[in-house]
């Protein structure tokens, strides 16, 4: 039952509440950004909605003092967990000088903040993967106790950068956690039109690393597998490929109209079952009657 | 968590979102000449 699940993972009630608040903050910031975009106040939005549980669950499993994160553009939940603030994210949305990511020069979602070990990403998708592998290699050479955590979409798992990075990390047993946030759409292309394998995690064996698929709507399950992957990395056992399956609740970006490639009821159905509701149910089971 | 604490969390988070929005909306844009900063190493 929900009551013992987080305790069994070594998570206190306070920690789980903190996870919940981080997920909720990500959702509310994202919703506000859409309003501001439609009101003509900010130029662009690219959402985390539907993926907060995977992002926050994973980021909480890392060491926020030592590890490096290389998030992709939807990872508001990851960067909030690693210390970026609501204000920082809004400054980026409004493209203002004080934006810590790029001083207002880059599009939103191009996260980077040195003091929180959030590594600046480039615009072409998947370039963060070999960067994460390189940082892990440097960490190993310098005998540092660090793990790198890199995320990307399932579409990115088809890119050359993924292959090269995963292969190199596998060969050299580097402490990298590759997390695919499979939200079932690469812009407009559904999963079955991009990947012939049943699961993205099936690819792991080809790189000599374990691959695991988890319910990306369940933050505790994601926490568990990422924690195990981090432990493996720290013990010198090499990289892990984690596939967190979720659903993208918004169009690809504020410049996309998803009505041309998926049915509205498909989105509505998943909205009810999204990660935010998942954790809420967890609390209802555990704390509602205290 | 009960209805009261849930409301407290929601209110606190919306306050953060509102404050962040107001702050960012009123913050200055970068000076145009800043576009040239960090293209090359600073002297």
């Amino acid at each position: 039952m929900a009551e013992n699940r987080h305790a069994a993972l070594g998570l206190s009630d306070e920690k789980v509440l903190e996870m919940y608040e981080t997920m909720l903050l990500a959702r509310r910031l994202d919703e506000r950004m859409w309003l501001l975009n439609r009101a003509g106040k900010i130029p662009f939005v690219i959402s985390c909605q539907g993926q907060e549980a995977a992002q926050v669950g994973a980021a909480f499993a890392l060491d926020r003092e030592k590890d490096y994160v290389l998030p992709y553009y939807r990872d508001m939940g990851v960067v909030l967990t690693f210390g970026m603030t609501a204000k920082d994210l809004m400054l980026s949305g409004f493209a203002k000088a004080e934006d810590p990511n790029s001083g207002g020069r880059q599009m939103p979602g191009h996260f980077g903040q040195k003091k929180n070990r959030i590594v600046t990403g480039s615009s072409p998708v998947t370039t963060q993967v070999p960067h994460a592998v390189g940082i892990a290699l440097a960490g190993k050479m310098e005998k540092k106790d660090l793990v790198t955590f890199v995320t990307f979409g399932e579409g990115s798992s088809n890119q050359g950068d993924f292959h090269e990075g995963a292969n190199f990390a596998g060969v050299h047993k580097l402490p990298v956690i590759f997390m695919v946030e499979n939200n079932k759409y690469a812009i407009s292309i559904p999963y079955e039109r991009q990947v012939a394998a049943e699961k993205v995690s099936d690819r792991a064996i080809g790189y000599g690393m374990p691959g695991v698929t988890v319910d990306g709507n369940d933050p505790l399950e994601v926490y568990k597998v990422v924690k195990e992957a981090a432990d493996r990395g720290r013990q010198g056992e090499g990289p892990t490929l984690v596939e967190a399956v979720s659903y993208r609740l918004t169009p690809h970006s504020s410049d996309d109209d998803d009505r041309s490639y998926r049915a509205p009821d498909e989105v509505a159905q998943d909205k009810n079952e999204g990660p935010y509701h998942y954790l809420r149910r967890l609390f209802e089971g555990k704390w509602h009657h205290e | 968590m009960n209805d009261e604490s849930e409301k407290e969390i929601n209110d606190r988070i919306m306050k953060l979102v509102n404050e962040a929005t107001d702050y960012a909306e009123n913050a200055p844009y970068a000076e145009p000449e800043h576009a040239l900063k960090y293209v090359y190493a600073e002297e």
Side-chain angles (χ1 to χ4, degrees):
Chain A
M1 217 356 250
E3 190 153 348
N4 294 320
R5 270 186 72 209
H6 68 281
L9 295 170
L11 283 166
S12 63
D13 291 356
E14 291 70 31
K15 264 290 186 256
V16 179
L17 201 57
E18 203 187 311
M19 286 170 86
Y20 173 75
E21 291 195 28
T22 309
M23 283 171 57
L24 192 59
L25 178 59
R27 174 66 60 95
R28 295 289 178 254
L29 278 169
D30 201 291
E31 288 170 347
R32 172 61 56 81
M33 286 184 179
W34 278 88
L35 278 177
L36 291 166
N37 175 263
R38 293 319 194 219
K41 291 193 170 189
I42 66 173
F44 188 75
V45 188
I46 193 139
S47 276
C48 66
Q49 290 187 42
Q51 299 171 223
E52 302 96 325
Q55 296 168 357
V56 172
F60 266 76
L62 302 170
D63 186 328
R64 284 179 261 180
E65 306 296 318
K66 291 182 199 159
D67 296 339
Y68 284 80
V69 290
L70 296 93
Y72 89 126
Y73 49 83
R74 297 196 191 281
D75 275 320
M76 197 185 273
V78 173
V79 300
L80 282 172
T81 305
F82 263 67
M84 200 174 281
T85 65
K87 207 180 264 186
D88 292 338
L89 289 162
M90 274 297 170
L91 284 161
S92 168
F94 278 96
K96 294 299 177 74
E98 216 185 320
D99 158 33
N101 298 283
S102 73
R105 297 177 190 188
Q106 253 292 21
M107 292 171 84
H110 290 66
F111 303 115
Q113 195 172 33
K114 192 173 181 180
K115 70 172 180 182
N116 286 321
R117 289 169 322 289
I118 299 166
V119 181
T120 307
S122 185
S123 291
V125 297
T126 338
T127 47
Q128 70 275 22
V129 170
H131 295 166
V133 175
I135 293 169
L137 175 65
K140 187 179 180 184
M141 289 165 74
E142 294 180 355
K143 300 195 188 327
K144 287 188 174 154
D145 180 35
L146 65 86
V147 166
T148 64
F149 172 73
V150 61
T151 55
F152 43 95
E154 77 284 1
S156 278
S157 76
N158 302 331
Q159 296 278 15
D161 277 2
F162 168 75
H163 169 71
E164 294 181 34
N167 188 63
F168 193 93
V171 168
H172 296 280
K173 288 200 176 301
L174 301 178
V176 188
I177 303 165
F178 300 90
M179 188 169 95
V180 187
E181 295 185 28
N182 179 356
N183 64 14
K184 301 184 185 146
Y185 284 90
I187 308 187
S188 61
I189 307 298
Y191 182 80
E192 61 276 10
R193 299 266 309 273
Q194 338 157 36
V195 182
E198 191 191 331
K199 296 177 285 186
V200 178
S201 63
D202 289 342
R203 295 181 159 170
I205 192 171
Y207 303 114
M209 67 177 87
V212 52
T213 295
V214 283
D215 178 359
N217 286 331
D218 181 346
L220 298 183
E221 197 56 32
V222 177
Y223 174 90
K224 180 173 177 272
V225 298
V226 173
K227 186 82 172 54
E228 285 165 6
D231 291 345
R232 273 176 44 79
R234 282 187 224 287
Q235 287 156 17
E237 293 168 32
T240 306
L241 176 63
V242 175
E243 176 187 18
V245 182
S246 63
Y247 186 78
R248 199 188 76 205
L249 296 176
T250 63
H252 170 69
S253 76
S254 54
D255 292 343
D256 173 43
D257 183 355
D258 61 342
R259 289 172 300 183
S260 63
Y261 57 83
R262 61 179 180 181
D265 56 334
E266 179 186 314
V267 183
Q269 189 188 349
D270 224 279
K271 205 152 196 162
N272 292 328
E273 291 303 313
Y276 159 63
H277 294 282
Y278 185 93
L279 208 56
R280 204 166 175 283
R281 280 202 302 278
L282 185 83
F283 285 118
E284 280 165 1
K286 162 95 178 93
W287 282 327
H288 215 73
H289 303 294
E290 271 182 14
Chain B
M1 188 150 84
N2 52 40
D3 291 343
E4 203 176 303
S5 62
E6 191 183 348
K7 186 180 181 311
E8 188 270 318
I9 291 169
N10 281 327
D11 290 351
R12 185 150 39 85
I13 283 174
M14 285 320 294
K15 187 163 177 275
L16 273 177
V17 173
N18 288 333
E19 283 173 357
T21 306
D22 291 342
Y23 183 88
E25 188 167 12
N26 293 315
Y29 286 107
E31 297 295 326
E33 50 272 24
H34 285 189
L36 302 173
K37 268 181 105 173
Y38 311 119
V39 175
Y40 301 104
E42 300 286 308
E43 297 272 320

